[in-house]
Each structure stands twice: as C-alpha cells, then as structure tokens.
Amino acid sequence: MEPPHNDTRNTSNPGPGRRRPWVVGISGASGTPYAASVLRGLVAAGEAVDLIVSRASRLTLLDETGIAFRDAHWRSDLREWLALGADGKPGTFPVTEEKLADVRYWPAADLAAGPSSGSYPVKGMLIVPASTACVAGVALGLSKDLLQRVASVTLKERRPLVVTVRETPLNGPTLKHLVALDEAGAVVLPASPAFYAGATHIQDLVDFVAGRVLDAAEVPHGLYRRWEGELRGGSKEEAPDPS
C-alpha cells in the first residue's frame, strides 16, 4: 500500500529548483475526461502536479469510467484512468510510472495537507470539472474539504485559479457565485467545447476544453488546432506524408 503523499523530499528550503506544482482539484461534476486530459497535458509539459479528488468526484469517476479511485492505490488507479480515451477505450494513451513520477496525491479530507497553507509553494490551482456546489463553496469561502480550502488559499495568495464549471442551465445563485469568483481574480472557464478546430471525435472536443484550461494557466500544449484567421481552416485535411 502506498501512502497518499509519498514525496519525502525536503520542502523547507526555498532555494532554486524547489518543486512548485499545479494543484488540480476534481469535484463531483460530470466531466472526468476533461480532468484526465488536463492532467495528461500538465504531465506532458513537464509540470509537477498535486492532485485532490473530492469524495463526490469518486462516484462520478466510477460512473463515467468504471474506475474506483482509492487512496491506498491512487497511483495505479490514476494510471488506469489517464490511459482511457474520452470514449472509454482502455489503453488509448500510454501512461507510464515514470510519467507520473512528479504527481503527488492529497486526500480531500486531509485539511492538514501541504497545499492547505499559503506557505506551501504552488504555481496555482485548476478545478476541473467544477460542480455548482464546489463553485458555491469556493465563492463563499466555506473550506469544507481540502479542495475548497486550497482554492481559498489560492485566491488569498493571489495565485492563478481556473474554475472549469460544468453545469447547465445555470441559476441565479450560481451566476452570482461565478461573478464573485471573477471579482476575486479567478478565471471562470465553462466547459464549452468549440467546433472550429475541426473536431471529428469526442476526444477532440474534450481536448479543446482541456487546452483552454492549460491556456489560462499558460502551460504549453498541442491539444487543439488554434484559430489562425482562415475560414474552414480547422476542417482542412492534413497534408499527406511525402515519405
């Protein structure tokens, strides 16, 4: 059995080369493929990741993928999840143990976890997907679990916070909470896929949203084809390989 946070490196020394991860919080909203794509994008970009999976999101993950995310086996469960395509096909993405070497996991109930303190060094936080309950908790500063606590810390420390809300339609209270988050400095990024990039598969739509999340965090990626000012540019076929 592997403990949730298995990184034993000294984090008390603020010298050069200190680990500064992105915190990825996954709430109970539908949309676990969005989270998987964001995580793969961060790992591919060489970013360190601190992962928080809420209790509600475990039920959503089980429903959408059939994977039971367990604290004691989080690394193997994470690897199995990230290998899935958005259509649920296993082994779509090669995910090795080496690629996940700089991912740390914190249980949602651990309010004494590293990221719960503003002194813990992070680049910012990405909540994907964000349920309306999560949005309300962060906007009101409830800190009822580690995910909400870290989001509150991120805002008070003036670090980047991206909230990928996944709900429709939106009622008045949720809209007010989203405005409050925007005024507090968060980026409110609805999970709204676009079609101008020439999507032909559900994975393309998922990757577009994930790519926009990474854009907001200024993390380089190649998840979608960008608009270049040319009509129908996204629908063009790739040039054949001359070889």
Side-chain angles (χ1 to χ4, degrees):
M1 292 174 59
E2 182 179 5
H5 39 88
N6 64 333
D7 190 336
T8 57
R9 289 173 290 181
N10 180 19
T11 57
S12 62
N13 181 4
R18 184 178 186 179
R19 182 179 184 272
R20 291 185 65 234
W22 282 98
V23 179
V24 176
I26 304 173
S27 80
S30 176
T32 54
Y34 293 129
S37 184
V38 167
L39 287 167
R40 287 192 297 265
L42 289 170
V43 169
E47 298 284 348
V49 174
D50 275 23
L51 179 63
I52 303 170
V53 181
S54 76
R55 291 181 61 186
S57 69
R58 293 171 187 246
L59 297 177
T60 306
L61 183 63
L62 180 63
D63 183 55
E64 294 184 346
T65 69
I67 295 173
F69 196 90
R70 303 157 296 174
D71 286 351
H73 305 280
W74 70 267
R75 192 174 290 276
S76 59
D77 294 339
L78 178 63
R79 190 165 62 245
E80 180 184 3
W81 174 32
L82 297 189
L84 290 178
D87 58 1
K89 183 180 179 181
T92 300
F93 299 98
V95 180
T96 64
E97 183 70 25
E98 182 181 4
K99 287 186 177 182
L100 300 182
D102 209 5
V103 176
R104 179 186 292 184
Y105 168 70
W106 302 94
D110 185 3
L111 290 177
S116 67
S117 170
S119 66
Y120 184 86
V122 302
K123 291 184 177 180
M125 183 178 190
L126 314 175
I127 305 178
V128 53
S131 66
T132 54
C134 174
V135 166
V138 176
L140 297 174
L142 298 182
S143 295
K144 73 170 188 177
D145 62 8
L146 181 61
L147 193 158
Q148 292 183 16
R149 168 60 185 169
V150 176
S152 295
V153 169
T154 302
L155 289 175
K156 81 178 182 67
E157 296 293 331
R158 302 296 190 267
R159 295 166 179 161
L161 173 65
V162 182
V163 180
T164 310
V165 59
R166 217 306 305 161
E167 186 63 81
T168 189
L170 297 172
N171 61 19
T174 297
L175 290 170
K176 292 176 182 178
H177 293 150
L178 292 173
V179 170
L181 289 177
D182 175 77
E183 291 176 343
V187 174
V188 176
L189 197 154
S192 301
F195 296 85
Y196 62 76
T200 59
H201 190 276
I202 185 175
Q203 188 68 55
D204 299 325
L205 299 175
V206 167
D207 286 347
F208 179 88
V209 172
R212 295 298 287 153
V213 172
L214 295 177
D215 286 346
E218 298 185 352
V219 174
H221 66 87
L223 288 176
Y224 69 90
R225 188 186 311 212
R226 298 183 182 277
W227 174 252
E228 296 180 349
E230 182 180 356
L231 293 178
R232 302 289 292 174
S235 62
K236 287 184 177 180
E237 294 183 0
E238 297 288 344
D241 188 341
S243 62

